[in-house]
Amino acid sequence: MKRILISNIGSLITISQMPDARGNIHDSMNELSIIHDAAMIFTDTFEWIGKASEIPTEYIIDQVIDANGRAIIPGFVDSHTHCVFAGNRSNEFARRLRGITYQQIASEGGGILSTVSAVRQASIEELAEKGIELAWKAIEYGTTTIEMKSGYGLSIESELALIKAIEIVKNEVPIRIISTFMGAHDFPPEYANNRSAYVELIINEMLPAVKELNVVDFCDVFTDTGYYSIEDSRRILLKAMELGFSCKVHADELSSFGAAEMAGELKAVSADHLLYCSEAGMDAMKQGGTIATLLPGTAYTLRLPYAPARKMIDRGLIVALATDCNPGSCYTPNMQTILSLACMNMGMSIEEALTSATLHGAYALRAEQYCGSIEIGKSADFNMLDTSSYSDMVYHFGVNHIAKTWSRGISIQ
Ligand code: NIG
Ligand code: FE
């Protein structure tokens, strides 16, 4: 593996501090551990980082790159997407702009279920193609780790097809991909009048079949009005944990449902969305060590109130930011857009947003030991910006500021 030295880095944003005792996040999130006039040495992992004036001489260097004063940031960690699907819902989107609600469309059999019917007709290769296309779009905007969920199959066969499609994506794109099973995304039409039988199918057949594949890390459930009840969600997640999956919850996206409370109580790794999260939900999440993954692109697209990020950060919750990239409620894989939305609409500082989109995303994927920040020993996943100032990503908005990206030490764009 080549050993590369990048010198003349105007500012190296390492985001290296680990929040201490999970209490002192507010302050540490506003300090990015920046090294000015920096350099770094890496192979597939970071070997040395420091001042350009103090580059050690004992390393044998294969290539030297001059950053010309530009900034370097960690690769974005997009910890919540639904990037593997088929079909297109732009018509639905246009109807929503004319005033029809997401729930109305869902009750007509559209929404998630219209994607389900397209997915059931698609081949594994076609599903993978969509995932590959969106993963490359995400890379363009600086993402180097991305989670992808199943959840548009809603039958054993189609859910397994989605997971196998994600495996193809893993082999085809040069970034880290983490899989989540989300058979409890909606109820399939064939179980519309017998929802509890579908819950049993998930618990007794789907989860064990997914476990058998041995490639999925997380199980996620859509716990909200009209979707999975607290009781059913809890049963599914308990079974998932028994089988060794870690848990995530689509929580309180459409209503204050008690989903965050449940996520905290089960010590889920993350509760995501949280637009309508209650104070008790925040307390439960803090108690359970559950990360609050906020998806402002969804509030924007559905024109819903944004999640109370400020309150959560001030309460000491760990907030992560992700895209939620999916064909219905938020069709973007662009993490820079998410930074903008978080700063402009959720009261987050640029520093908080950047920490949430990198290191905290890694927390939400239990991947913080090897990605999410620029630290010795971690995977060399990072972006060189086209500017010396990381603030430009929010200030000079609507512009892609990624000049170059490395993933596991290899230049990928
Ligand atoms: O995260 N909340 C549920 N699932 C997706 C939306 C899926 C869709 O509309 O296709 C979400 O917003
Ligand atoms: Fe989602």
Side-chain angles (χ1 to χ4, degrees):
M1 178 104 208
K2 269 205 312 201
R3 177 173 288 115
I4 300 175
L5 162 69
I6 302 186
S7 66
N8 200 12
I9 304 167
S11 45
L12 179 59
I13 319 303
T14 69
I15 322 231
S16 63
Q17 77 289 330
M18 298 289 186
D20 56 11
R22 309 214 149 176
N24 210 7
I25 310 302
H26 182 75
D27 288 343
S28 59
M29 275 175 88
N30 276 306
E31 275 170 39
L32 298 176
S33 300
I34 300 173
I35 307 172
H36 295 285
D37 303 315
M40 63 190 197
I41 297 173
F42 59 94
T43 53
D44 54 341
T45 56
F46 295 111
E47 293 192 330
W48 180 87
I49 50 187
K51 285 286 211 193
S53 56
E54 293 166 7
I55 297 170
T57 52
E58 66 264 30
Y59 290 96
I60 296 166
I61 304 290
D62 300 297
Q63 186 186 1
V64 179
I65 296 170
D66 185 341
N68 285 315
R70 288 176 292 194
I72 283 183
I73 62 167
F76 292 120
V77 179
D78 188 352
S79 63
H80 181 141
T81 85
H82 310 247
C83 279
V84 177
F85 61 86
N88 177 299
R89 281 158 54 194
S90 55
N91 278 341
E92 241 178 48
F93 175 75
R95 284 182 70 210
R96 278 200 285 105
L97 294 185
R98 291 196 291 268
I100 323 269
T101 66
Y102 186 75
Q103 285 94 327
Q104 266 171 291
I105 288 170
S107 70
E108 295 164 6
I112 295 175
L113 293 185
S114 78
T115 303
V116 169
S117 81
V119 162
R120 288 178 173 184
Q121 288 165 46
S123 66
I124 294 183
E125 291 69 27
E126 285 165 336
L127 296 171
E129 215 169 290
K130 178 58 77 183
I132 291 167
E133 172 197 320
L134 287 169
W136 272 109
K137 280 276 168 235
I139 291 168
E140 235 177 86
Y141 292 96
T143 296
T144 54
T145 296
I146 188 167
E147 181 256 19
M148 295 188 181
K149 302 176 199 294
S150 72
Y152 288 118
L154 309 186
S155 67
I156 299 188
E157 193 194 352
S158 297
E159 284 296 308
L160 293 182
L162 287 161
I163 289 164
K164 288 176 187 162
I166 298 173
E167 287 309 291
I168 297 177
V169 184
K170 281 185 189 171
N171 291 323
E172 293 290 322
V173 298
I175 58 169
R176 186 174 299 103
I177 293 175
I178 291 172
S179 310
T180 296
F181 165 66
M182 197 178 179
H185 193 190
D186 199 345
F187 292 90
E190 59 278 18
Y191 284 90
N193 298 318
N194 193 3
R195 288 181 156 201
S196 59
Y198 183 64
V199 173
E200 296 309 317
L201 184 77
I202 294 175
I203 292 175
N204 299 320
E205 297 185 44
M206 281 192 183
L207 276 168
V210 172
K211 179 68 196 166
E212 192 90 349
L213 294 178
N214 210 19
V215 293
V216 172
D217 292 320
F218 291 93
C219 175
D220 196 340
V221 176
F222 189 5
T223 308
D224 221 315
T225 305
Y227 294 86
Y228 288 78
S229 66
I230 297 286
E231 197 186 311
D232 287 341
S233 302
R234 188 184 280 118
R235 285 188 59 217
I236 292 166
L237 293 173
L238 285 172
K239 173 70 180 197
M241 286 194 276
E242 189 188 308
L243 291 172
F245 296 101
S246 297
C247 291
K248 291 182 167 291
V249 183
H250 274 63
D252 305 325
E253 175 185 359
L254 306 170
S255 63
S256 191
F257 198 66
E261 288 86 329
M262 176 198 69
E265 176 213 314
L266 293 178
K267 299 190 176 2
V269 174
S270 70
D272 304 35
H273 287 290
L274 302 170
L275 273 50
Y276 294 97
C277 182
S278 68
E279 307 259 332
M282 291 180 219
D283 289 342
M285 287 173 63
K286 183 156 186 210
Q287 187 93 30
T290 300
I291 312 282
T293 299
L294 307 184
L295 311 161
T298 309
Y300 171 76
T301 307
L302 297 182
R303 297 201 283 204
L304 294 174
Y306 287 81
R310 204 55 276 139
K311 237 187 196 172
M312 290 173 171
I313 293 171
D314 294 343
R315 248 180 153 93
L317 284 177
I318 298 186
V319 166
L321 286 169
T323 61
D324 195 24
C325 182
N326 76 73
S329 65
C330 183
Y331 196 17
T332 184
N334 179 343
M335 283 294 280
Q336 290 173 71
T337 297
I338 300 305
L339 292 183
S340 274
L341 293 173
C343 292
M344 301 311 294
N345 297 311
M346 297 200 302
M348 291 176 74
S349 69
I350 298 174
E351 291 73 18
E352 287 168 339
L354 202 46
T355 306
S356 300
T358 54
L359 183 60
H360 292 186
Y363 278 122
L365 294 176
R366 290 255 159 98
E368 72 274 13
Q369 293 307 321
Y370 51 89
C371 71
S373 60
I374 297 179
E375 284 182 89
I376 309 252
K378 280 198 179 184
S379 182
D381 303 342
F382 61 96
N383 295 300
M384 186 184 286
L385 303 185
D386 64 355
T387 159
S388 60
S389 165
Y390 64 86
S391 300
D392 283 356
M393 285 188 295
V394 177
Y395 167 54
H396 188 185
F397 67 96
V399 171
N400 186 1
H401 289 288
I402 305 298
K404 275 184 94 41
T405 302
W406 280 262
S407 171
R408 302 165 179 130
I410 292 170
S411 163
I412 59 169
Q413 70 176 341

